[in-house]
Amino acid sequence: MNHSYSVDPGDPDAPYLSFWRERHLCTLTTLRPDGTPHLVPVGVTYDPGARLARVITNKESAKVRHVLAAGPEGAAVAVCQVDGRRWATLEGRAVVRTEREHVEEAERRYAERYGRQPSPNPSRVAIEITLTRAMGRG
């Protein structure tokens, strides 16, 4: 039996990609300044062609503070979703994007995946995760 759950984040197989297109609540794990994990529920979109995952959030959130505290090289983070025996984790370096075009792209992808337009929020930013690793079973 194959117990390797490694996936190429830029070229996932069809079941894995399909799983990331279904509507699922996800989690985002960031690290606090003391190194302890901070895990919160979020909506995540996955763009394997760009090797990016995106999360929209308020610029005042703890997750944004954690990413910013890591410095310009970005923060090591993971996003995950689970549905019964199916699970998927994406890992990478996160940065906070405040540029309108990046936030609008993240909002567009969120609306596409979750079937609803996010409510207007002038404090919204996008966390963009440049993917370095993926694993799971779609």
Side-chain angles (χ1 to χ4, degrees):
M1 184 168 194
N2 180 3
H3 288 288
S4 172
Y5 298 114
S6 183
V7 175
D8 179 346
D11 188 24
D13 64 25
Y16 192 84
L17 184 55
S18 177
F19 185 37
W20 276 105
R21 289 186 172 147
E22 295 171 12
R23 188 180 193 281
H24 293 287
L25 188 60
C26 303
T27 59
L28 168 68
T29 303
T30 58
L31 297 177
R32 296 181 183 97
D34 68 2
T36 59
H38 175 259
L39 189 133
V40 292
V42 292
V44 175
T45 61
Y46 174 32
D47 179 358
R51 291 181 79 99
L52 287 177
R54 295 175 178 91
V55 173
I56 56 175
T57 189
N58 193 298
K59 67 182 177 186
E60 303 300 325
S61 68
K63 55 190 158 294
V64 166
R65 287 194 308 275
H66 299 156
V67 171
L68 291 174
E73 72 283 351
V77 303
V79 291
C80 183
Q81 64 182 22
V82 178
D83 181 38
R85 294 178 56 83
R86 297 183 305 156
W87 63 277
T89 300
L90 301 171
E91 298 177 24
R93 306 279 324 164
V95 295
V96 176
R97 300 295 236 157
T98 57
E99 304 91 339
R100 191 74 238 143
E101 64 272 15
H102 288 275
V103 175
E104 286 173 357
E105 178 67 6
E107 289 171 334
R108 183 189 70 74
R109 289 176 177 276
Y110 177 94
E112 184 179 279
R113 180 174 189 198
Y114 290 97
R116 68 174 192 84
Q117 227 16 75
S119 54
N121 178 354
S123 296
R124 180 169 292 130
V125 296
I127 295 175
E128 282 186 357
I129 305 161
T130 299
L131 301 174
T132 56
R133 180 179 294 156
M135 58 188 146
R137 186 171 64 200

